[in-house]
Amino acid sequence: AYTHLIAAGKVLEWSIDRYALSDYLEGKPIDEAALREAISRNTDALSLIDRAAQCPRCITPILTRLDDHAPHIKDWGKISNLLASKCRNESTQGDYHKATNTCITQLKLSNLILQDSNYLLQHVVGCGMLAMALDQAERLGRDTHTPKDQLQDLAKSLEEINGIQTGLVRAIKGDFNIMSHTVDDLNKGFNEPNGNQLLPLPLPVI
């Protein structure tokens, strides 16, 4: 799934303000024409996201030091916003089949990201994506117009979420590995000739 998500991030065009998006997901009015236009511009990205959600794993590169890059994390947040807003828009338009499928895609994707979290930042992003998907799932479940067969598909996807605990353990181990390498680097800095002055380590680039 990782390679599909990287490709999706490269073609993703998402300019909706996060505060406006938050208002929209809470049921407050926004410029829905602009939102639909933003969604329609991401046909290629959505196709790649759908392919990613069908994969069995989402294995990301291992980070070993604080200055290792994880640029995909920022794109994953935008992908989550895109899916949640698409689901909301489809249900308000009365297309419950598409809305349910979009919600299921977000549930599957968040589970993939969670179960293979190599560090805590990835786990946090996965939890955020899952929370947005669960909000949409609850709204669809409470909507009396959602067809019964769509609710059954949604319930099945909810039962398959299993990556939170295993992913958290993996993420903690990953962060421990990063800090262990950092401590080794610090020790080398002290022990090498003229190495008694250590430059501050940069934060991870996300």
Side-chain angles (χ1 to χ4, degrees):
Y2 176 74
T3 54
H4 294 313
L5 290 177
I6 290 295
K10 290 180 179 179
V11 298
L12 184 67
E13 296 182 33
W14 189 250
S15 57
I16 301 298
D17 180 84
R18 63 190 180 97
Y19 297 109
L21 176 63
S22 178
D23 288 343
Y24 177 65
L25 295 178
E26 291 176 2
K28 299 177 183 178
I30 66 167
D31 187 349
E32 293 200 35
L35 177 66
R36 287 193 292 271
E37 182 184 355
I39 294 171
S40 67
R41 287 199 304 266
N42 285 286
T43 303
D44 291 342
L46 287 165
S47 177
L48 289 163
I49 292 166
D50 286 338
R51 291 171 65 182
Q54 301 307 313
C55 294
R57 301 287 298 274
C58 182
I59 301 175
T60 60
I62 300 293
L63 303 187
T64 58
R65 285 171 173 77
L66 286 176
D67 57 350
D68 283 348
H69 289 223
H72 53 276
I73 292 294
K74 185 181 294 184
D75 289 335
W76 288 0
K78 294 179 181 179
I79 286 172
S80 182
N81 291 338
L82 170 62
L83 290 173
S85 58
K86 181 174 180 288
C87 177
R88 173 78 178 184
N89 184 255
E90 289 165 343
S91 63
T92 56
Q93 297 297 312
D95 197 337
Y96 291 96
H97 178 74
K98 284 186 177 180
T100 304
N101 286 341
T102 300
C103 186
I104 289 173
T105 294
Q106 190 168 14
L107 287 169
K108 288 182 176 180
L109 203 58
S110 59
N111 193 54
L112 287 173
I113 290 172
L114 283 167
Q115 70 182 10
D116 279 316
S117 296
N118 285 325
Y119 41 91
L120 285 172
L121 181 58
Q122 178 179 333
H123 195 268
V124 169
V125 170
C127 285
M129 184 179 290
L130 178 59
M132 295 185 78
L134 290 175
D135 283 344
Q136 297 308 308
E138 180 181 5
R139 190 177 52 78
L140 287 169
R142 291 179 180 274
D143 193 326
T144 57
H145 295 94
T146 306
K148 184 177 180 180
D149 60 328
Q150 299 300 305
L151 291 175
Q152 290 174 340
D153 291 342
L154 198 58
K156 182 179 178 181
S157 294
L158 288 168
E159 290 177 356
E160 293 172 351
I161 296 173
N162 56 11
I164 299 177
Q165 292 182 336
T166 56
L168 178 59
V169 172
R170 185 185 182 97
I172 291 173
K173 289 180 178 178
D175 270 29
F176 177 82
N177 186 49
I178 292 172
M179 296 312 300
S180 177
H181 280 94
T182 301
V183 170
D184 289 342
D185 289 342
L186 292 172
N187 287 332
K188 289 177 183 178
F190 278 118
N191 294 329
E192 290 176 358
N194 301 319
N196 56 334
Q197 291 184 345
L198 295 175
L199 296 176
L201 292 170
L203 293 174
V205 178
I206 63 171

